[in-house]
């Protein structure tokens, strides 16, 4: 049964384990394995029934709680999943997979502190588990501890070179540290292992974009949104790239898609503002830039777009104030200084320009 399950033959696995249970019907491990195999065969109702029987007869068996937690998580009932992972760990404190899944569930619930504690417990219980170290890396990355996240990713990769998740987490950690060139290699490794994972292609597209490999970036980002058409970051990142390539209509279309998916996505409004300005729609660009800033975007890029839109609308005093803010954010930006100069010259202030 176990061999059939591992080799992707769930129906055969179910048949074998049912024969085993016919001989020893009260075996907790066999019942739990049958539930796992029912789930793999898409027989969720049967899995729930066997797990209910298992927990009635063996309330101390950790695997039953773990499988129930997985079912709750798949159903989106994260609180019940969290509670059942904890029950599994209470009955088996060194249950590494339960620690890993509990960590992910706590992250999805927004309980970062508890997730960090769970991840560290997982590493303590499974010091040679690549998944445990990758789980810790995910929490550290969410918590903004990028250097520690990168270290945890490297540890995971050193323990097991097969899974793609540690490579993805390492790439994201390096992107967070602005080490874009260095992020490309682990993200390419992630792509080889997870070719249908939209987030991998999105992160790789960002790394290529910031490394000025624009053609490679476009291929990666288009693949990301082909795999996940509702990937907000994918549309927004592609809009940013297309703005850089002066493909403004296409950029605007993807930026609009990003803000349609999430009207509070500041980066999408920022990229939309840039595209609309390039399309000679300064009023609309100004509205989009103001929306981005209201949502918390404080980048020099959006301030620069705001300045240029104000200048195009001959709102000179507001443009000057906005340029001062943009220059304070990015004093070494040649583009912002150039646009400031251009607005001053256009307004007739030739000496300052």
């Amino acid at each position: 049964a176990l061999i059939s399950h591992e080799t992707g033959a769930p129906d055969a696995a179910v048949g074998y384990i049912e024969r085993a249970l016919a001989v020893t019907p009260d075996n907790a491990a066999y019942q739990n394995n049958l539930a796992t195999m029912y789930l793999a065969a898409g027989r969720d109702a049967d899995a729930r029934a066997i797990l209910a029987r298992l927990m009635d007869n063996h309330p101390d068996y950790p695997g039953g709680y773990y499988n129930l937690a997985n079912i709750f998580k798949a159903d989106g009932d994260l609180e019940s999943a969290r509670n059942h992972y904890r029950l599994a760990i209470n009955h088996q404190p060194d249950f590494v997979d339960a620690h890993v899944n509990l960590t992910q569930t706590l992250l999805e619930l927004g309980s970062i502190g508890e997730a960090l504690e769970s991840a560290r417990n997982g590493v303590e219980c499974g010091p040679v588990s690549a998944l445990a170290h990758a789980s810790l890396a995910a929490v550290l990355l969410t918590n903004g501890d990028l250097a520690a996240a990168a270290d945890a990713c490297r540890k995971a990769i050193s323990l097991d070179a097969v899974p793609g998740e540690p490579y993805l987490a390492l790439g994201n950690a390096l992107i967070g540290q602005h080490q874009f060139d260095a992020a490309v290699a682990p993200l390419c490794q992630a792509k080889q292992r997870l070719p249908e994972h939209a987030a991998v292609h999105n992160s790789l597209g960002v790394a290529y974009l910031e490394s000025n490999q624009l053609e490679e970036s476009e291929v990666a980002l288009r693949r990301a949104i082909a795999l996940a058409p509702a990937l907000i970051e994918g549309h927004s990142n592609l809009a940013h790239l297309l703005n850089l390539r002066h493909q403004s209509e296409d950029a605007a279309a993807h930026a609009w898609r990003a803000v349609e998916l999430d009207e509070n996505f500041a980066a999408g409004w920022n990229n939309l503002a840039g595209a609309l300005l390039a399309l000679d729609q300064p009023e609309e660009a100004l509205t989009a830039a103001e929306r981005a800033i209201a949502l918390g975007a404080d980048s020099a890029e959006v301030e620069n777009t705001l300045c240029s839109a104000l200048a195009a609308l001959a709102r000179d005093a507001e443009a000057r104030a906005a340029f001062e803010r943009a220059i304070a954010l990015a004093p070494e930006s040649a583009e912002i200084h150039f646009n400031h100069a251009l607005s001053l010259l256009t307004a007739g202030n030739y000496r300052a320009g």
Side-chain angles (χ1 to χ4, degrees):
L2 293 172
I3 291 170
S4 297
H5 177 65
E6 292 295 329
T7 55
D11 292 331
V14 166
Y16 287 127
I17 200 72
E18 285 177 339
R19 289 169 63 185
L21 274 169
V23 178
T24 53
D26 196 42
N27 187 298
Y30 291 178
Q31 291 177 34
N32 191 53
N33 287 341
L34 178 58
T36 301
M37 293 166 192
Y38 277 150
L39 290 171
R43 295 169 59 177
D44 290 9
D46 290 330
R48 292 172 190 269
I50 195 71
L51 286 170
R53 191 177 92 194
L54 169 62
M55 301 323 299
D56 284 342
N57 297 331
H58 302 278
D60 296 332
Y61 189 75
Y65 293 110
Y66 175 76
N67 270 330
L68 279 171
N70 289 338
I71 291 173
F72 285 127
K73 192 170 186 298
D75 288 345
D77 186 352
L78 297 181
E79 292 186 357
S80 294
R82 175 197 61 198
N83 296 340
H84 281 76
Y85 286 130
R86 284 176 170 162
L87 284 168
I89 292 166
N90 287 343
H91 291 293
Q92 184 183 333
D94 63 350
F95 198 156
V96 176
D97 286 351
H99 284 290
V100 168
N101 286 9
L102 174 60
T103 299
Q104 179 59 42
T105 304
L106 290 167
L107 272 180
E108 292 180 34
L109 286 167
S111 303
I112 306 302
E114 292 178 81
L116 184 57
E117 180 183 0
S118 174
R120 286 175 171 155
N121 289 339
V123 169
E124 183 178 348
C125 296
V128 296
S129 167
L131 283 177
H133 288 279
S135 179
L136 176 59
V139 182
L140 292 168
L141 192 60
T142 303
N143 209 32
D145 193 345
L146 302 179
D151 288 341
C153 292
R154 292 187 181 100
K155 180 64 175 177
I157 290 167
S158 74
L159 291 167
D160 189 344
V162 176
E165 287 80 0
Y167 289 97
L168 173 58
L170 176 57
N172 285 337
L174 292 169
I175 287 173
Q177 293 175 302
H178 293 179
Q179 298 182 41
F180 302 109
D181 289 336
V184 169
L187 289 170
C188 285
Q189 292 286 342
K191 184 179 76 168
Q192 289 179 11
R193 290 160 173 79
L194 300 168
E196 303 301 310
H197 196 313
V200 171
H201 294 277
N202 181 60
S203 292
L204 184 57
V206 171
Y208 278 138
L209 173 61
E210 298 297 340
S211 301
N212 203 33
Q213 300 180 60
L214 301 188
E215 290 186 8
E216 293 86 346
S217 177
E218 184 169 351
V219 169
L221 292 172
R222 289 194 183 279
R223 179 60 178 157
I225 59 176
L227 289 167
L231 183 64
I232 299 166
E233 295 83 357
H235 286 286
S236 183
N237 290 331
L238 182 56
H240 179 51
L241 167 70
L242 293 168
N243 274 333
L244 293 176
R245 304 192 81 176
H246 306 293
Q247 298 176 31
S248 304
E249 290 188 6
D250 201 5
H254 285 284
W256 273 121
R257 182 61 182 142
V259 298
E260 285 169 359
L261 290 165
D262 182 358
E263 63 181 13
N264 294 318
F265 189 59
W269 288 105
N270 181 19
N271 290 323
L272 178 60
L276 293 171
L277 187 64
L279 290 169
D280 198 24
Q281 299 178 37
E283 285 278 7
E284 293 83 353
L286 178 61
T287 299
E290 288 174 338
R291 183 67 182 275
I293 292 169
L295 289 168
D298 60 355
S299 71
E301 180 186 353
V302 68
E303 291 284 359
N304 184 40
T305 303
L306 178 74
C307 301
S308 299
L310 289 167
L313 293 167
R315 292 165 61 173
D316 298 334
E318 293 171 85
R320 281 195 299 274
F323 273 119
E324 288 175 5
R325 291 195 302 271
I327 290 168
L329 285 169
E332 303 302 317
S333 170
E335 182 182 3
I336 293 174
H337 284 289
F338 174 78
N339 286 336
H340 188 201
L342 190 61
S343 71
L344 290 166
L345 293 168
T346 303
N349 191 347
Y350 301 119
R351 182 179 296 278

